[in-house]
Structure formats: structure tokens, C-alpha cells
């Protein structure tokens, strides 16, 4: 089952969008417009991360948004993940969850989620990567690569060299690089060991969502052809 989930990830992702209403002018409709444009342009994985100043906390509204976003992602045959809120992810049968080391304990996550659900775990160093693998993560979110304004709780950048160190440690384990990534960084991060790149502000704050995604896709697949 795990191998099947990892195979699905490798087929779907390249550009992995992380988004919440706080990234979109605190507008739910603007968030959905961006997600829709991104999916139409080739994004294959969306993580809904509703955290930060002005983010939505009402559980009823959060559930409605999650169901709507899951439906939208599945319309484009894309993967839908929820950040941190494991209970909500299970309630709406999201494709998976992503948790950090300061979120719910990993052992508890494993107990709560069904076996078919994807589990992503953040890792900023070798110790965190080891813990994530030990607890059965399906992929690692490695970073931050560069300084990021989108995540106030992010640690200091580890850069491509930190990514390379973790890649050597985990072997062929799936890695998504995250943190301050622009299109110009994609080639270097691919060479350093990233299987996919997670993007927040470079897409959510772009004046033209589709053009921004196209630029990321170009650099990602350009590297693949080298």
C-alpha cells in the first residue's frame, strides 16, 4: 500500500502548491481562484495550510472549505492534503495530511489516519528526517531552502547543501523541497535531490497564477531533460 501511495506521488507532483486564505488577501474566493488556475496549469498536489494571521479557525467553515477544495483537486485528478488538522483530514477523507515536528505527535497521527492516507512530515535536519522515516512518513517536506515570508514558524534556511545532506541520508525516499523557492531555484534544488518543489508566495502572490505555474513547470521539466 505504501509503495502504491509513493508511486502515485511521484506521478502527480512536480510543483506542489501550499495555500491558505491568509496567503490570498484573506479571501476564500481568491484562494479558490488561484487553486483552480494552478490546477488547470499542471499543479498536481495541493496542501491546504490554513495558519497564520487572519486565517480561518471556525470548524464549520474549515470543513466546508476542505470539502470544496478536495472536490476541486479531484476534478483535475490532483492530490489534496491538509496541513496539521488530522481530524478534519480524516472526516472529509482527504488524500493525506502534512504535519510538522511541533504539530500532533507522529505516533498519534499514525493511529488516527487510515492506512491509505498519505502522511508527509517536515524535516529540517538529519535527526528530524530519521524520526519522520521511523514513524512511517510517505514523504519528507525538507526546508526551509531559503528565507520565507509565508511561514512565520519556519526555521533558518538549510539551503541546497542541507537538502543534499538529507538526500544522501534517506536514499531514494521522496523529498519535497520547501521555503522561499522561486522558479530560478528549481534546477539547483532538483540537482540537490528534490523530487518536487513546494511553493507558496511565488504562486499565491503572482499577478498571473497560470504564468507563474508555467514558469515553474518549465524549469522543473527543463532540468529533467538535461
Amino acid at each position: 500500500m505504501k509503495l502504491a501511495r509513493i508511486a502515485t506521488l511521484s506521478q502527480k507532483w512536480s510543483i506542489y502548491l501550499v495555500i491558505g486564505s491568509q496567503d490570498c488577501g484573506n479571501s476564500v474566493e481568491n484562494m479558490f481562484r488561484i487553486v483552480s488556475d494552478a490546477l488547470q496549469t499542471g499543479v498536481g498536489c495541493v496542501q491546504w495550510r490554513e495558519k497564520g494571521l487572519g486565517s480561518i479557525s471556525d470548524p464549520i467553515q474549515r470543513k466546508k472549505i476542505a470539502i470544496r477544495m478536495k472536490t476541486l483537486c479531484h476534478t483535475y485528478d490532483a492530490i489534496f492534503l491538509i496541513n496539521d488538522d488530522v481530524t478534519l483530514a480524516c472526516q472529509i477523507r482527504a488524500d493525506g495530511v502534512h504535519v510538522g515536528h511541533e504539530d500532533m505527535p507522529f505516533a498519534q497521527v499514525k493511529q488516527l489516519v487510515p492506512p491509505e492516507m498519505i502522511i508527509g512530515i517536515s524535516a529540517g535536519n538529519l535527526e528530524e528526517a530519521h524520526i519522520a522515516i521511523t514513524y512511517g512518513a510517505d514523504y519528507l517536506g525538507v526546508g526551509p531552502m531559503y528565507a520565507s515570508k509565508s511561514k512565520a514558524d519556519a526555521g533558518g534556511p538549510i539551503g541546497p547543501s542541507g537538502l543534499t545532506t538529507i538526500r544522501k541520508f534517506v536514499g531514494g525516499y521522496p523529498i519535497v523541497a520547501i521555503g522561499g523557492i522561486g522558479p530560478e531555484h528549481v534546477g539547483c534544488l532538483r540537482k540537490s535531490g528534490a523530487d518536487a518543489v513546494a511553493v507558496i508566495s511565488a504562486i499565491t502572490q503572482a499577478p498571473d497564477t497560470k504564468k507563474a505555474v508555467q514558469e515553474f513547470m518549465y524549469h522543473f521539466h527543463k532540468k529533467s531533460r538535461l
Side-chain angles (χ1 to χ4, degrees):
M1 181 64 72
K2 177 174 285 191
L3 290 176
R5 295 202 300 274
I6 292 174
T8 298
L9 286 171
S10 66
Q11 292 167 5
K12 297 288 184 184
W13 68 15
S14 56
I15 310 305
Y16 171 134
L17 176 63
V18 181
I19 193 169
S21 65
Q22 71 281 346
D23 305 308
C24 310
N26 298 112
S27 167
V28 171
E29 292 309 312
N30 191 36
M31 175 176 69
F32 275 100
R33 178 193 61 77
I34 292 170
V35 172
S36 179
D37 285 351
L39 290 168
Q40 289 176 38
T41 318
V43 164
C45 184
V46 175
Q47 180 195 134
W48 182 43
R49 181 182 181 274
E50 193 67 25
K51 284 185 176 181
L53 187 63
S55 60
I56 296 165
S57 59
D58 178 71
I60 295 175
Q61 189 177 5
R62 286 174 62 89
K63 186 174 182 179
K64 289 180 179 178
I65 290 171
I67 292 171
R68 181 179 170 187
M69 194 170 292
K70 173 190 169 183
T71 300
L72 179 59
C73 287
H74 287 186
T75 298
Y76 291 92
D77 199 26
I79 295 167
F80 175 57
L81 308 175
I82 294 179
N83 181 281
D84 186 20
D85 196 338
V86 177
T87 300
L88 177 58
C90 292
Q91 285 177 347
I92 70 148
R93 297 181 179 271
D95 297 310
V97 294
H98 186 94
V99 294
H101 286 259
E102 295 181 357
D103 296 328
M104 181 182 289
F106 302 152
Q108 188 177 352
V109 174
K110 289 289 289 185
Q111 289 176 348
L112 291 174
V113 303
E116 69 273 11
M117 186 174 284
I118 296 164
I119 299 176
I121 297 179
S122 299
N125 53 52
L126 292 180
E127 179 182 3
E128 291 177 350
H130 175 72
I131 293 171
I133 293 173
T134 299
Y135 278 96
D138 293 302
Y139 74 89
L140 302 181
V142 174
M145 292 294 103
Y146 310 100
S148 173
K149 296 180 181 179
S150 301
K151 294 183 67 177
D153 56 349
I158 65 171
S161 61
L163 172 60
T164 298
T165 299
I166 292 175
R167 166 54 72 201
K168 290 178 179 177
F169 178 74
V170 302
Y173 216 83
I175 288 177
V176 179
I178 188 169
I181 298 172
E184 70 276 12
H185 300 130
V186 173
C188 177
L189 295 176
R190 291 278 279 154
K191 290 179 182 177
S192 300
D195 298 298
V197 293
V199 183
I200 304 178
S201 61
I203 291 177
T204 62
Q205 303 301 309
D208 186 327
T209 302
K210 290 184 178 181
K211 185 176 180 180
V213 173
Q214 286 170 349
E215 189 171 2
F216 272 100
M217 297 289 287
Y218 170 78
H219 284 281
F220 189 92
H221 293 292
K222 179 182 178 182
K223 166 62 181 71
S224 298
R225 292 193 298 267
L226 293 179

